[in-house]
Amino acid sequence: MSRFRRSSDSDPPRNEGSARLADTVARRLGRLIARKGRTLERLAELSGVELDELRSIESGAKAPTIAHLWRIANAIGVPFGSLVASQERSGVLVMRKASPRLIGSQDGNFLSRPLFPYDSARPVEFYEVTIAPLHQERAEAHAPGAKETLVVAQGEIEIIAGREPPVTLATGDAVDFLADVPHSYRNLGETPASFFLVMSYAPAEAGEA
């Protein structure tokens, strides 16, 4: 069975990995809100995420989507990784393909697998992304100075960043662009496409991470 779902499905993918992610985000979000001196009501106003949704995410009852996490991170003023970081650790961490932690879009047609440990905020993050056939995923502008570098692993993908003309990438092609503008990813083929994405952030002010 395909792991992608019809766009009419309203809830993000829910599995053991997303449940663990929901718990992690709930813990981190509570700490970040307290550290930044924000309230859920103020965060809802700044992020555009509905207050009821924020309450569900903050309690761990709802698995956040990629859009939720980006909006919340931008509103608080922290890197994306700050929301999915769990606790400090040392040693070697193996992330098995058989039990991935996936962060999905609302319709489940855009799946992002973090390839870095949820241990601490970091200036560079690494993801494996899979897009359903003919699907286009639109992303809001990230933090000022944020940059994305991606290489296509399979398929043909169209990238649009801000007012720049569309760029078409085939398997093995790579692109680098500033992601602090609205941007989108479109799978031009009729089979799933995938790419590896490196997200890098501009240096944060002291205490922001």
Side-chain angles (χ1 to χ4, degrees):
M1 179 180 294
S2 173
R3 56 180 168 173
F4 295 111
R5 305 192 304 169
R6 299 186 305 274
S7 60
S8 59
D9 293 337
S10 59
D11 295 326
R14 185 74 177 184
N15 50 41
E16 183 181 351
S18 64
R20 292 198 303 268
L21 176 64
D23 290 340
T24 296
V25 172
R27 291 193 298 270
R28 291 295 299 163
L29 181 56
R31 294 172 189 170
L32 288 169
I33 289 175
R35 183 186 305 172
K36 297 292 183 177
R38 300 283 170 82
T39 64
L40 282 179
E41 289 77 11
R42 179 58 175 161
L43 185 55
E45 179 182 344
L46 292 172
S47 67
V49 178
E50 294 291 337
L51 181 57
D52 286 345
E53 284 191 302
L54 277 177
R55 285 174 174 154
S56 295
I57 293 170
E58 195 267 343
S59 69
K62 181 181 181 68
T65 65
I66 290 176
H68 287 140
L69 293 174
W70 275 118
R71 289 182 179 184
I72 293 169
N74 289 343
I76 298 176
V78 297
F80 186 94
S82 295
L83 284 171
V84 297
S86 54
Q87 59 185 4
E88 297 293 339
R89 58 131 189 110
S90 59
V92 176
L93 174 66
V94 176
M95 291 165 278
R96 300 291 183 189
K97 182 178 181 180
S99 56
R101 286 190 172 185
L102 297 176
I103 307 172
S105 60
Q106 188 72 21
D107 56 18
N109 287 324
F110 186 87
L111 302 175
S112 177
R113 176 192 175 200
L115 297 175
F116 60 96
Y118 294 161
D119 55 359
S120 62
R122 54 186 59 209
V124 177
E125 299 165 358
F126 185 34
Y127 300 88
E128 178 184 23
V129 179
T130 308
I131 313 179
L134 305 177
H135 177 71
Q136 181 177 33
E137 183 71 14
R138 293 180 173 85
E140 298 181 10
H142 301 329
K147 179 180 289 189
E148 293 189 14
T149 306
L150 65 86
V151 57
V152 178
Q154 179 179 317
E156 188 176 30
I157 296 172
E158 178 189 78
I159 303 293
I160 301 177
R163 297 180 180 274
E164 297 293 328
V167 174
T168 300
L169 305 172
T171 300
D173 290 342
V175 67
D176 179 271
F177 62 92
L178 285 172
D180 56 4
V181 294
H183 50 285
S184 66
Y185 322 83
R186 183 196 297 272
N187 180 356
L188 299 177
E190 297 185 355
T191 58
S194 63
F195 60 86
F196 291 97
L197 169 67
V198 175
M199 171 70 67
S200 56
Y201 300 92
E205 296 180 4
E208 283 298 298

